[in-house]
Amino acid sequence: MADLYLVLLHHPVLDKTGAIVTSALTNMDIHDIARSARTYGVRRFYVATPVKALRVLAAKIMEHWETGYGSTYNVTRKDALSLVGLEHDLDSTLLTLEHATGMRPRLVATSARSGPDRTPCVELRAQLDVRREPHLIVLGTGWGLAPEVTERADVILEPIWGPTDYNHLSVRSAAAVILDRLRGKR
Amino acid sequence: MADLYLVLLHHPVLDKTGAIVTSALTNMDIHDIARSARTYGVRRFYVATPVKALRVLAAKIMEHWETGYGSTYNVTRKDALSLVGLEHDLDSTLLTLEHATGMRPRLVATSARSGPDRTPCVELRAQLDVRREPHLIVLGTGWGLAPEVTERADVILEPIWGPTDYNHLSVRSAAAVILDRLRGKR
């Protein structure tokens, strides 16, 4: 059974015009996705931003919940945030992960856009059962991952669809749905 | 095929000590759940709070995205927020819904706690295919719905589990996962 890892990228991502930008850190992303990661057995959730000041800010927020006042106020949140690691970008995340596991991780990109060679979640779920290498699921902020990230991926997941032609989920919601499709108990 | 409706209750809900309280409105709840509702074909998403000042605040936020600056900045958000209705409480929501549809809705409670007579999502999904009355899914803020709400429900959904013993999802994540289990395209 392959271990799951998550990374939330703030660069390179798209803005609404399709330009490549660095997005700001959103506090709620860290909390919500950490809680989903903890629920679905993700080993580690990396928050990657090249902006040092934002990594320092994230570290402060986590300190509040892990050892500060929040750690006694809300124990389940402390538990979830202990999964979070701060990284510079995708490359530093891959290095950290390879160092920790001794294996080259399989890179799984997510996208709300359709395209060729998309893998349905149910297919990746079956692969996770028989594979051994760590799987790193890459989530994009802003208007989604830049093509240069998607192009590096070993797997690109199919977009999430309901019965409508609208699929603009928040990254928080998309992360929860993807993890549920990959690891949810039915 | 039964139509789906959502209501997010801010009273009566539990706080972390188990006391019944009124929770504050969270802007991100409205945005995230509206986008999930739109994705999964929910007919209307009611935000219910007995605090009039908070309903006025919510109306202002929605106005920004529906007719103000936000409506041209982000069209997909406008599209999602057009599903939102503001209500006082569960009873006013039921009245509105019954008035709009001419049918008594079936009340579906959600809970992170286990208990007797829980219905798995997959079972409700099958029921939705053959039933005709509107189904109102009730989401709780804070530490979850007060027992007096759950006791009125026709259906109580099983908690969401991954492969761990932790299930403290945010209400935003839980809403997305429940809708995906009920209406997601596999």
Side-chain angles (χ1 to χ4, degrees):
Chain A
M1 175 103 144
D3 282 337
L4 273 189
Y5 295 81
L6 278 185
V7 60
L8 181 69
L9 286 194
H10 295 81
H11 180 88
V13 295
L14 304 176
D15 72 4
K16 70 168 199 149
T17 70
I20 290 175
V21 295
T22 300
S23 64
L25 218 74
T26 303
N27 188 20
M28 194 86 74
D29 287 356
I30 305 180
H31 284 277
D32 276 18
I33 300 175
R35 289 159 75 180
S36 297
R38 180 71 184 78
T39 298
Y40 292 102
V42 168
R43 296 287 169 182
R44 202 126 179 90
F45 164 39
Y46 300 102
V47 176
T49 171
V51 184
K52 197 180 165 192
L54 291 178
R55 288 201 301 278
V56 171
L57 173 69
K60 276 208 179 158
I61 292 168
M62 289 185 337
E63 196 186 295
H64 167 79
W65 293 105
E66 288 196 86
T67 58
Y69 172 69
S71 66
T72 52
Y73 178 76
N74 191 331
V75 171
T76 61
R77 196 160 288 198
K78 171 187 175 173
D79 197 3
L81 287 176
S82 68
L83 290 181
V84 177
L86 295 173
E87 288 292 340
H88 189 277
D89 56 17
L90 181 57
D91 283 315
S92 77
T93 307
L94 286 170
L95 268 177
T96 299
L97 193 45
E98 200 164 337
H99 186 76
T101 63
M103 283 183 276
R104 199 193 155 274
R106 200 162 174 231
L107 207 58
V108 181
T110 57
S111 173
R113 276 172 283 275
S114 298
D117 297 322
R118 278 2 188 207
T119 301
C121 283
V122 61
E123 207 174 300
L124 181 62
R125 186 177 178 125
Q127 292 173 12
L128 289 170
D129 281 342
V130 295
R131 287 206 167 235
R132 287 191 55 248
E133 75 271 48
H135 282 57
L136 178 64
I137 300 177
V138 189
L139 301 163
T141 52
W143 267 252
L145 296 171
E148 63 192 89
V149 176
T150 314
E151 282 157 16
R152 287 176 63 179
D154 301 299
V155 176
I156 308 176
L157 283 180
E158 257 187 11
I160 296 164
W161 291 105
T164 70
D165 59 357
Y166 180 102
N167 73 340
H168 305 281
L169 294 172
S170 73
V171 69
R172 299 169 289 282
S173 300
V177 167
I178 288 168
L179 289 175
D180 188 65
R181 288 186 178 193
L182 295 179
R183 284 276 156 94
K185 219 182 207 172
R186 307 285 165 188
Chain B
M1 175 104 145
D3 282 338
L4 273 190
Y5 294 81
L6 277 185
V7 59
L8 181 69
L9 286 194
H10 294 81
H11 180 89
V13 296
L14 304 176
D15 73 3
K16 69 168 199 150
T17 71
I20 291 176
V21 296
T22 300
S23 65
L25 218 74
T26 302
N27 187 20
M28 193 88 70
D29 287 355
I30 305 180
H31 285 278
D32 276 18
I33 300 175
R35 289 158 77 181
S36 297
R38 181 70 184 79
T39 299
Y40 292 103
V42 169
R43 296 287 169 183
R44 201 126 179 93
F45 163 39
Y46 299 102
V47 175
T49 171
V51 184
K52 195 179 168 196
L54 291 178
R55 288 201 302 277
V56 171
L57 174 69
K60 276 209 178 156
I61 292 169
M62 291 187 334
E63 194 186 296
H64 168 79
W65 293 105
E66 288 194 87
T67 58
Y69 173 70
S71 66
T72 52
Y73 177 75
N74 190 333
V75 171
T76 62
R77 195 159 290 197
K78 171 186 176 172
D79 198 1
L81 286 176
S82 68
L83 290 182
V84 178
L86 295 174
E87 287 291 339
H88 188 277
D89 56 16
L90 182 57
D91 283 315
S92 78
T93 307
L94 285 169
L95 268 178
T96 300
L97 193 45
E98 201 164 337
H99 185 76
T101 63
M103 283 184 275
R104 198 193 155 272
R106 200 161 173 233
L107 208 57
V108 181
T110 57
S111 174
R113 275 172 283 274
S114 298
D117 298 322
R118 277 3 189 206
T119 301
C121 282
V122 62
E123 208 174 300
L124 181 62
R125 186 178 179 125
Q127 292 173 12
L128 290 170
D129 282 341
V130 294
R131 288 206 168 234
R132 288 189 55 248
E133 75 272 48
H135 281 57
L136 178 63
I137 300 177
V138 189
L139 301 163
T141 52
W143 267 252
L145 296 171
E148 63 192 89
V149 177
T150 314
E151 281 156 17
R152 286 176 64 179
D154 301 299
V155 176
I156 307 175
L157 282 180
E158 257 188 11
I160 296 164
W161 290 106
T164 70
D165 58 358
Y166 179 104
N167 74 339
H168 305 280
L169 294 172
S170 73
V171 69
R172 301 169 288 281
S173 300
V177 167
I178 288 168
L179 290 175
D180 189 64
R181 288 185 178 195
L182 294 179
R183 284 275 155 94
K185 220 182 205 172
R186 307 285 164 187

